[in-house]
Amino acid sequence: MTTTTTTALPAGLTTGTWAIDASHTEASFTVRHAGISKVRGSVAVTEGTITVGEDLASTSVAVTLDPSTVSTGDANRDGHLKSGDFFDVEAFGAWSFTSTEIRPAGSDYVIVGDLTIHGVTKSVELATEFNGTAVDPFGNQRAGFEASVTISRKEFGLVWNAALEAGGVLVADKVVIGLDVSAIKQA
């Protein structure tokens, strides 16, 4: 006999549709540069929905990001990242994440899902913290989340690199992605 356990929603998170507020949401990344420093940047989250069911098993997340908005604080580097050497935004104008499972992990959560970057889809696990809910000054019910995942950029077809004179390569394979999400409950 198989038993199915349902996992309760976090306190304050109510069922229904929550629209991700792109103006208060950030997707950031960090990658080692030349083996000695890190480059940090961001990519705009253009839309997303969190559909909260009666429990975690019936809850889902879907998000779209726009790689043409990549920003690292250096226009030349941003242009290179948008080119065919990296993101190839002409051919791959959107990235996406669609959850396949949400489960508890101690007092936090793991959101498993399909991440598509550069036309390649891989399953990833986002370590996720629920930051609670609040009503903003405009009467909107908001929920906040933070999540992170480390990926191999090569697994997503992002293989461009340059050898360094002293050994090693210019851009590391490991990329840390961080998300800071604000969502608004829809009527």
Side-chain angles (χ1 to χ4, degrees):
M1 179 173 157
T2 305
T3 51
T4 304
T5 21
T6 58
T7 306
L9 298 172
L13 190 62
T14 57
T15 60
T17 301
W18 296 73
I20 292 177
D21 178 1
S23 67
H24 291 96
T25 295
E26 180 180 70
S28 62
F29 63 88
T30 305
V31 63
R32 178 103 21 221
H33 179 261
I36 58 169
S37 64
K38 291 181 181 177
V39 169
R40 290 169 176 77
S42 63
V43 176
V45 173
T46 55
E47 63 183 344
T49 303
I50 302 168
T51 305
V52 179
E54 294 296 324
D55 57 24
L56 290 179
S58 59
T59 297
S60 63
V61 178
V63 179
T64 303
L65 300 96
D66 180 358
S68 72
T69 64
V70 66
S71 176
T72 64
D74 181 290
N76 289 332
R77 178 173 45 226
D78 295 348
H80 191 203
L81 287 171
K82 294 174 191 179
S83 78
D85 284 346
F86 284 97
F87 301 152
D88 194 358
V89 299
E90 293 295 321
F92 306 105
W95 298 346
S96 64
F97 175 82
T98 304
S99 68
T100 57
E101 175 190 7
I102 301 174
R103 65 177 185 263
S107 63
D108 293 325
Y109 302 89
V110 173
I111 301 177
V112 181
D114 295 328
L115 177 63
T116 302
I117 295 176
H118 195 249
V120 177
T121 302
K122 296 283 183 186
S123 180
V124 297
E125 295 190 3
L126 291 113
T128 306
E129 180 181 346
F130 174 62
N131 294 330
T133 59
V135 176
D136 69 19
F138 307 102
N140 296 309
Q141 178 74 22
R142 290 183 174 269
F145 307 86
E146 290 180 53
S148 65
V149 64
T150 300
I151 64 167
S152 160
R153 67 184 182 88
K154 291 177 186 173
E155 288 182 359
F156 288 90
L158 303 171
V159 297
W160 182 92
N161 226 327
L164 298 174
E165 187 178 304
V169 291
L170 186 63
V171 183
D173 180 47
K174 181 176 82 169
V175 180
V176 178
I177 299 171
L179 299 161
D180 192 357
V181 176
S182 179
I184 301 173
K185 179 80 181 271
Q186 302 301 287

